[in-house]
Amino acid sequence: MHEYEQMISRQKKWMFYYLAILALGTALTSYHSIFNGLLLGSAVSFYNLWLLQRKMKKLGEAIVNNKKIFSLGTLVRFGSIAVSVLIALEFEQYFHFIAVIIGLMTMYVVIMVDGLLFLTRD
């Protein structure tokens, strides 16, 4: 369980750093709509990562304690994605739509990069 907690911590740290870089990109460059889109998508992606990690921890505890778990995790994650896409469509002048879609995928990139780095260290 200790390795799982370390993995969660690493992935959150990577996402925070990435969000900070995007915030700097929004503030310091002239590509505001692209960086705002990436920031919106990545923020929702970070929220979805947090939800996924929390649900996985509860699932692990339920298995250890031989209990059942009921969850609407996928529905909530899809709902947050739908809301971010609707925000991007409604406020086109502030958010680049393709950048939002790319930002939504950052959670999976962080998980894969973290996994690859962890495997190469061992």
Side-chain angles (χ1 to χ4, degrees):
M1 193 66 156
H2 183 65
E3 287 181 11
Y4 180 71
E5 297 293 331
Q6 287 178 338
M7 179 190 69
I8 288 175
S9 176
R10 281 192 316 265
Q11 290 174 356
K12 284 181 183 178
K13 201 180 331 180
W14 280 62
M15 287 297 288
F16 277 130
Y17 290 151
Y18 182 66
L19 289 172
I21 290 169
L22 292 177
L24 285 174
T26 300
L28 300 176
T29 66
S30 61
Y31 302 106
H32 298 293
S33 66
I34 292 174
F35 279 104
N36 283 340
L38 286 170
L39 192 58
L40 174 64
S42 297
V44 171
S45 182
F46 180 63
Y47 172 70
N48 287 340
L49 177 68
W50 175 76
L51 281 177
L52 184 66
Q53 290 171 343
R54 196 178 85 187
K55 295 293 180 185
M56 290 301 296
K57 187 173 182 179
K58 285 185 180 182
L59 179 66
E61 291 171 358
I63 290 172
V64 167
N65 296 328
N66 202 16
K67 294 183 179 179
K68 293 189 180 204
I69 186 170
F70 176 74
S71 174
L72 296 174
T74 303
L75 186 63
V76 172
R77 288 195 308 270
F78 284 160
S80 65
I81 290 170
V83 168
S84 67
V85 167
L86 288 175
I87 289 171
L89 289 174
E90 183 66 29
F91 300 104
E92 290 178 6
Q93 66 272 22
Y94 300 112
F95 300 104
H96 190 267
F97 182 73
I98 302 299
V100 172
I101 300 300
I102 292 170
L104 288 169
M105 297 300 132
T106 57
M107 168 179 120
Y108 304 107
V109 173
V110 166
I111 290 171
M112 285 188 287
V113 168
D114 181 60
L116 288 174
L117 289 177
F118 185 74
L119 285 175
T120 58
R121 277 189 237 157
D122 285 348

